[in-house]
Amino acid sequence: MANTLFYISLSVIWIMLLYHMFLMQGGYLHYLRFRRPIKRWEQNGIPLPKVSILIPAHNEEVVIERTLKAMIRLEYPKEKLEIVVINDNSSDRTGEIADKYAAKYPSVKVVHTKPPHAGKGKSGALNQGLKHSTGDIIVVYDADNTPERKAVYYLVLAMLNDPKAGVVVGKFRVVNAAHNLLTRFINIETICFQWMAQAGRFNWFKVTTIPGTNFAIRRSLIEQLGGWDEKALAEDTELTIRVYNSGYYIRFFPAAITWEQEPETWKVWWKQRTRWARGNQYVVLKFAGSLFSLRKKSIMFDILYFFFTYFLFFLGVIISDMLFIINLFVDLQLNIGIVAIILWILAFFLYVTEVMIALSIERTEFTLKNILIILFMYFTYSQLWIVLVMYALFLETKRVLLREETRWYKTERFSKDKQQKEAL
């Protein structure tokens, strides 16, 4: 029995590794050609539409001013740009700072929300902002984001020239990557997500997940879908499924770049990643019943991928690790053999290769220091995800059973230090 479980778990792990290598190849191909249509698109001369940027903000006084400065500097016609800050029941100076910019810049508008329709989460704040916006295209940024000057322009340009795209997603980078070991881990994780999961899936399947920031969606589409799901902890992933099921697809266009702050302490990281895991588990469970009736069949495989990742894959890793540890103290008579040991070693090197390919795309990140961090990351940061996913599954199950209300799970922000930069 123990031998059977071990080989099943090893097979599940290898399936995921090979699939990720396949995605990484697709991501690299997308990197080589995503810029090619830009010149042709610009020559088409399609008039730029009015854009509303929604910035949900709940107690964001540490970062909101830097974000608004970045918004003011955007290279987009000012008469066609509306910046809507949703001050969602903040108890700090977020509203005061936003009001100061609104008084100085006509393009900035502040929406102050109060209970009972406020403070329940990002989705609710975005829905309030949508009601007070007037743009034909809605762009979303988190309150800690500093988009590069042409980010919004590139999002809109891609959407105008791709009628099948209901949403255009840009790339995000870590502004505080060099702060400590944790932020270096997150930086590598983020780069892999961009080029492996986002670019890779788009290249092979025309499937991309909406992130929480740096994306544009057609106003007609988000209104047709009834706005954001206020019960979803990962409102971005949930919206992704509904966009595809509406008949549109989502384009990944990494020319549009934003810089965001990531957690600098393990406590903040744990809270943020737990919310992400719970949110994705919610999406899997929400759409599992209608899996085969989805209009866009390609998204069916994406839901299966989330199910495989957050349930089967981690279960396989847990079983494998538990059997290995137990066998150190109790003889389970595991007939692992040299083949299984070789497969485990090869799995490790395959993991390292995938990550190094992703780093080679962001050339400034392909350093000896980061390569050494990758080796260490496999045995530490990556393994911690196993515990986190199990904890998230427990919390999400409890929330469903007890019908707990969704509320803000806001990531703690940190003051800008000398290691951070504004990539404007």
Side-chain angles (χ1 to χ4, degrees):
M1 180 64 176
N3 281 288
T4 302
L5 286 174
F6 179 79
Y7 281 107
I8 289 174
S9 63
L10 191 62
S11 299
V12 169
I13 293 169
W14 261 92
I15 289 171
M16 288 297 291
L17 285 170
L18 291 173
Y19 178 63
H20 283 143
M21 178 55 79
F22 174 67
L23 291 182
M24 192 64 256
Q25 292 172 345
Y28 195 82
L29 291 173
H30 186 63
Y31 157 70
L32 293 176
R33 55 195 179 207
F34 79 88
R35 287 188 175 276
R36 293 177 185 175
I38 293 179
K39 188 174 182 180
R40 172 171 51 83
W41 288 349
E42 291 178 330
Q43 291 174 344
N44 287 341
I46 303 176
L48 294 174
K50 184 173 183 180
V51 171
S52 293
I53 299 176
L54 303 187
I55 307 174
H58 175 68
N59 293 337
E60 300 283 8
E61 68 174 352
V62 173
V63 294
I64 191 65
E65 185 161 16
R66 187 169 77 248
T67 296
L68 286 172
K69 285 180 180 178
M71 299 299 163
I72 298 301
R73 296 170 186 168
L74 289 170
E75 293 181 5
Y76 198 87
K78 293 297 183 276
E79 70 278 7
K80 295 184 177 182
L81 188 64
E82 180 183 58
I83 302 164
V84 183
V85 180
I86 307 102
N87 175 35
D88 193 53
N89 198 35
S90 297
S91 57
D92 62 1
R93 295 180 57 249
T94 299
E96 177 187 335
I97 295 170
D99 283 337
K100 181 181 70 174
Y101 275 81
K104 187 175 180 180
Y105 299 98
S107 60
V108 178
K109 176 192 296 186
V110 184
V111 176
H112 298 281
T113 64
K114 296 292 181 183
H117 304 294
K120 295 183 177 181
K122 182 178 176 181
S123 295
L126 287 171
N127 285 331
Q128 291 298 315
L130 181 63
K131 291 178 182 178
H132 291 84
S133 67
T134 58
D136 299 310
I137 292 179
I138 305 298
V139 175
V140 176
Y141 281 107
D142 284 338
D144 66 326
N145 271 220
T146 51
E148 295 188 359
R149 293 175 184 266
K150 299 191 76 171
V152 170
Y153 169 75
Y154 279 134
L155 291 175
V156 175
L157 181 68
M159 181 167 287
L160 290 178
N161 289 276
D162 189 351
K164 294 181 180 179
V167 178
V168 176
V169 169
K171 180 176 71 171
F172 60 90
R173 295 296 314 279
V174 179
V175 73
N176 55 335
H179 184 77
N180 57 29
L181 182 60
L182 173 60
T183 58
R184 291 182 186 277
F185 282 157
I186 296 172
N187 182 48
I188 293 171
E189 176 190 41
T190 299
I191 292 170
C192 289
F193 171 75
Q194 304 294 308
W195 294 112
M196 188 184 299
Q198 295 288 72
R201 287 184 300 152
F202 181 76
N203 182 80
W204 296 125
F205 311 116
K206 291 295 181 285
V207 171
T208 297
T209 301
I210 298 173
T213 188
N214 197 30
F215 71 89
I217 184 169
R218 300 178 190 275
R219 183 185 195 89
S220 57
L221 175 57
I222 189 62
E223 289 182 340
Q224 172 192 328
L225 296 175
W228 283 266
D229 181 352
E230 299 188 11
K231 294 182 180 179
L233 290 176
E235 79 295 329
D236 39 17
T237 307
E238 190 280 335
L239 180 60
T240 296
I241 308 299
R242 289 192 288 141
V243 167
Y244 276 101
N245 205 37
S246 72
Y248 283 101
Y249 79 114
I250 300 166
R251 187 183 191 100
F252 179 59
F253 192 52
I257 302 170
T258 191
W259 294 79
E260 67 177 18
Q261 188 182 88
E262 292 292 347
E264 296 179 357
T265 67
W266 285 101
K267 181 180 178 181
V268 175
W269 175 87
W270 180 269
K271 184 176 180 180
Q272 183 195 62
R273 271 20 183 203
T274 299
R275 177 176 63 83
W276 290 4
R278 290 179 64 186
N280 287 326
Q281 290 163 355
Y282 168 85
V283 170
V284 171
L285 297 175
K286 176 178 178 177
F287 291 100
S290 58
L291 187 64
F292 296 101
S293 62
L294 291 172
R295 180 176 176 181
K296 189 76 173 179
K297 298 305 178 185
S298 58
I299 201 65
M300 178 178 72
F301 296 102
D302 218 40
I303 296 175
L304 288 173
Y305 168 73
F306 278 114
F307 173 73
F308 207 92
T309 300
Y310 283 95
F311 294 91
L312 294 185
F313 173 66
F314 280 104
L315 181 61
V317 174
I318 291 167
I319 291 174
S320 176
D321 288 352
M322 286 180 62
L323 289 175
F324 180 79
I325 293 172
I326 293 172
N327 196 59
L328 294 175
F329 303 96
V330 180
D331 185 8
L332 298 177
Q333 296 184 336
L334 289 177
N335 299 318
I336 297 176
I338 189 66
V339 175
I341 294 174
I342 292 173
L343 285 175
W344 185 88
I345 295 172
L346 288 175
F348 171 70
F349 282 107
L350 185 59
Y351 161 86
V352 172
T353 302
E354 291 170 355
V355 178
M356 288 179 66
I357 292 173
L359 288 187
S360 70
I361 295 176
E362 303 289 348
R363 298 181 181 179
T364 58
E365 302 291 346
F366 194 66
T367 63
L368 177 60
K369 187 171 187 176
N370 275 343
I371 292 172
L372 294 175
I373 288 174
I374 293 170
L375 302 178
F376 183 58
M377 188 174 179
Y378 179 86
F379 298 100
T380 54
Y381 185 82
S382 298
Q383 301 303 318
L384 188 57
W385 266 97
I386 300 169
V387 182
L388 186 145
V389 168
M390 293 294 293
Y391 176 66
L393 184 59
F394 165 75
L395 291 180
E396 188 59 20
T397 302
K398 184 167 73 75
R399 184 180 77 90
V400 172
L401 293 177
L402 299 181
R403 298 182 180 181
E404 296 174 351
E405 188 178 70
T406 303
R407 59 187 177 84
W408 268 99
Y409 285 83
K410 193 187 79 67
T411 302
E412 181 182 338
R413 311 301 186 191
F414 299 89
S415 299
K416 182 181 176 184
D417 61 32
K418 63 181 180 181
Q419 291 177 313
Q420 295 180 342
K421 58 184 177 182
E422 291 188 29
L424 303 176

